[in-house]
Amino acid sequence: MTEATPLKLAVVGAGVIGRHHAKVAVHHPDLEVVALVDAIPAAATSAADEIEAMGVTRPVTTATIEEAIAQTDIDVVAICSPSGMHVQLAEAALAAGKHVVIEKPLDTTMPRARQIAALAASARDRGLVTSVISQHRFDPASAAVARAAHDGGFGTVTSGLASVAWYRSQGYYDSGDWRGTWALDGGGAVMNQGVHTVDLLVWALGRPVEISAQTGLLAHDRIEVEDTAVATVRFAGGALGVIHCTTAAYPGLSARYAVYGTHGSAIVDDDRLAYFHIAPDTATLESASTTANASAVEGAVDQKDEVVPPEHVVGGPAEPDHFAAGHARQYTDIVAAIRDGRDPGVTVDAALVSLATVRGLYVSSTLGEPVRIDDVIEGKYDDVIPVVGAHAAEGATR
């Protein structure tokens, strides 16, 4: 295979997100959609109609990934099915020698997520790439903040914040029996609405060590999961983080995260850089001072316009088709990882840590005590049934 040869992609799951992956791939110079897989034949056929209408060769349609592999040449399988099916689909694709892309979340349960991690580790030894979609890690604003945090630009990173203040009506939850359930939704404001922002905070601040949380169901009826959650997180490097997620913030505000350090700080708001500043030199740091009545160093200039293009700055022009652009940037990384024989930018292990942070939040709230993230990953709390609210600890089972 040469660099000029597009990788052949099969998409499993012909729902909204599966069709999105397929359309992103059609526009990507290094990908070719060759198969669409769905247990409902009409869904696969309809998705194939849409792809063909874009002026490219019609992909084959099958009910199973095994049938697709048997019928056409495939390099990469994108798994866009319900989360509970990820394990068996990943296993089938990797066993057939295919690279795998898994739409987030990795899974909604830690046991199945660990299974996928084990499959990915074994496949890596055979030269196969497995990645999990976390497209916002490839947004220029978030990439710039993470780079500064990791490379020491912000000095010692001391703290961070992830806040998702959105609004979902009661009608949103009433629109489907699966919405707001632990079994099928996997959680509420954190798992569904806040998971991307939590992932970005974890990416920037490093390995989370311990989490302490509270959750509440304060503004909605007839659901099992939380509509409001807050948590504090301690990271391996010493930084402290705050997580806040709600679907009860009328009329709905932004998803925001911030990173604060001894040499600089940054804020990302709805995927755009809202603030960025790094002290230009040691002399500036040494001369910086504030009085009791000042909250900031005088003359510190917001550098965000120098860091990313204008379409990635708050107040700048909109990036064309931003949602598709994020997935396209991640697929570019995945293609490069396959061709270069390296790990992708988002590994299964990284996705496992972010999932464990969310799961740890729910466990901590349920048990009313701090929870170590490594214990979550290793399975100590697998049998904890999440319960929302002030009396969560009384309803927990161990």
Side-chain angles (χ1 to χ4, degrees):
M1 181 184 301
T2 66
E3 286 195 0
T5 304
L7 300 180
K8 295 177 173 61
L9 178 73
V11 178
V12 183
V16 172
I17 195 64
R19 293 177 190 227
H20 176 72
H21 275 250
K23 291 174 182 177
V24 167
V26 167
H27 292 294
H28 199 291
D30 294 315
L31 295 169
E32 176 188 358
V33 181
V34 297
L36 290 167
V37 180
D38 201 287
I40 302 173
T45 299
S46 173
D49 290 342
E50 292 180 5
I51 297 305
E52 187 177 26
M54 297 175 71
V56 298
T57 303
R58 183 183 181 85
V60 301
T61 57
T62 67
T64 69
I65 185 59
E66 291 85 357
E67 291 172 332
I69 290 170
Q71 291 184 28
T72 189
D73 186 23
I74 295 168
D75 298 305
V76 186
V77 175
I79 298 174
C80 302
S81 66
S83 298
M85 300 171 63
H86 287 177
V87 172
Q88 56 263 44
L89 291 168
E91 185 171 22
L94 292 170
K98 312 304 179 185
H99 305 284
V100 168
V101 178
I102 301 172
E103 180 56 60
K104 82 287 181 189
L106 176 62
D107 204 287
T108 57
T109 74
M110 291 306 299
R112 289 198 301 261
R114 283 195 297 272
Q115 283 183 266
I116 296 174
L119 290 168
S122 175
R124 184 177 183 274
D125 293 338
R126 294 182 280 120
L128 296 177
V129 168
T130 309
S131 187
V132 181
I133 292 295
S134 185
Q135 76 271 23
H136 292 299
R137 289 195 183 197
F138 298 88
D139 292 340
S142 293
V145 172
R147 185 164 53 249
H150 299 162
D151 295 348
F154 293 145
T156 299
V157 174
T158 56
S159 60
L161 165 71
S163 177
V164 177
W166 287 357
Y167 179 73
R168 293 292 185 268
S169 67
Q170 184 63 45
Y172 165 84
Y173 290 106
D174 290 343
S175 65
D177 290 342
W178 60 275
R179 290 194 186 278
T181 65
W182 290 109
L184 299 177
D185 231 0
V190 182
M191 177 64 83
N192 278 295
Q193 284 74 33
V195 64
H196 276 301
T197 311
V198 171
D199 175 70
L200 291 171
L201 184 71
V202 169
W203 183 38
L205 267 63
R207 180 81 175 193
V209 174
E210 185 177 81
I211 188 166
S212 181
Q214 294 190 54
T215 60
L217 179 56
L218 306 176
H220 297 93
D221 300 315
R222 299 182 295 282
I223 63 173
E224 302 171 349
V225 300
E226 85 289 355
D227 62 16
T228 305
V230 294
T232 57
V233 187
R234 179 168 57 86
F235 291 85
L240 301 177
V242 174
I243 295 171
H244 160 254
C245 300
T246 182
T247 54
Y250 182 85
L253 302 175
S254 64
R256 159 180 290 224
Y257 76 100
V259 178
Y260 305 110
T262 57
H263 293 183
S265 301
I267 300 170
V268 175
D269 199 310
D270 281 344
D271 309 326
R272 292 183 171 200
L273 202 56
Y275 181 83
F276 190 99
H277 180 83
I278 290 177
D281 49 47
T282 303
T284 301
L285 284 168
E286 291 176 348
S287 64
S289 64
T290 59
T291 68
N293 296 320
S295 60
V297 173
E298 185 177 352
V301 176
D302 188 349
Q303 303 160 350
K304 64 177 180 290
D305 292 324
E306 305 168 17
V307 176
V308 294
E311 63 269 26
H312 301 290
V313 173
V314 169
E319 180 184 28
D321 204 355
H322 174 67
F323 185 49
H327 279 77
R329 283 189 284 264
Q330 182 160 4
Y331 265 112
T332 295
D333 171 77
I334 292 166
V335 169
I338 292 170
R339 289 176 171 166
D340 298 343
R342 63 164 173 83
D343 286 337
V346 183
T347 63
V348 172
D349 285 343
L352 185 70
V353 171
S354 291
L355 179 65
T357 304
V358 174
R359 171 64 179 171
L361 183 152
Y362 290 141
V363 172
S364 173
S365 172
T366 299
L367 300 181
E369 62 188 37
V371 167
R372 290 182 58 82
I373 301 300
D374 280 349
D375 288 341
V376 177
I377 292 174
E378 293 166 8
K380 178 178 178 180
Y381 299 106
D382 283 356
D383 59 347
V384 173
I385 300 171
V387 180
V388 176
H391 302 293
E394 299 174 14
T397 61
R398 298 291 295 271

